[in-house]
Amino acid sequence: MITMKNIIREGNPILRQRANKVEFPLSPEDKKLAQDMMEFLENSQNEEIAEKYGLRAGVGLAAPQLAVSKRMTAVLVPGTTEEQDPLFKHVLINPTILSESVQMVALGEGEGCLSVDREVPGYVPRHNRIKLRWYDLDGNEHQARLNGYEAIVVQHELDHLNGVLFYDHINKNNPFVIPKDMLILE
């Protein structure tokens, strides 16, 4: 079971490297890693389990955050109510953004990261809509159009695969500047 002690923190050079493409068929180790990453997200979103193991809640976890330089990430965006199915729940292997909107968006409360143990205030501009392609554990290709929060989460995770951390996007001179036409999600 992945816990917070398995997640590397900012300052580790692996977080700043471009991750390597994953080859198919997946090795048993890669399949286990993918399943373990999704299990971490499920556990982190379960208040009882999270408290028991000291897990910070997460909606995404990328292999580089576990010191594995591979283009693989798990995303679990919960539904808006407890009974609702997740809005987006997938392990993404070799994900690629095929297209993105001109319209930008940022979370009003800013972004956080399991690899960053401090608050970094400021807006993180992201594309409001993206078209995503990825492969599942069996090598099947998938595509989805995402917008708003789901698009933000996926872009944050894809940044991890490219050696980018969320605060790299924050305007250094004015962290709360709102570029023209950017939406703020509260």
Side-chain angles (χ1 to χ4, degrees), residues 8 10 15 19 53 102 105 110 112 117 140 171 178-179 181:
I8 62 175
E10 64 179 321
L15 291 174
Y53 294 102
V102 172
V105 65
D117 290 331
N140 300 310
N171 183 311
I178 301 175
D181 298 329

Side-chain angles (χ1 to χ4, degrees), residues 90-121:
H90 294 282
V91 171
L92 312 174
I93 311 288
N94 299 329
T96 305
I97 294 175
L98 300 174
S99 62
E100 52 201 23
S101 65
V102 172
Q103 173 84 64
M104 301 299 279
V105 65
L107 294 177
E109 62 196 29
E111 291 185 24
C113 180
L114 295 168
S115 291
V116 178
D117 290 331
R118 61 192 173 98
E119 252 186 66
V120 183

Side-chain angles (χ1 to χ4, degrees), residues 50-96:
E51 188 175 329
K52 180 177 179 180
Y53 294 102
L55 307 178
R56 283 175 46 202
V59 290
L61 182 63
Q65 293 178 274
L66 300 168
V68 177
S69 184
K70 293 194 174 179
R71 299 188 73 75
M72 179 188 318
T73 183
V75 176
L76 175 52
V77 178
T80 51
T81 65
E82 267 188 47
E83 304 81 44
Q84 188 182 8
D85 288 337
L87 298 176
F88 191 80
K89 180 182 181 178
H90 294 282
V91 171
L92 312 174
I93 311 288
N94 299 329
T96 305

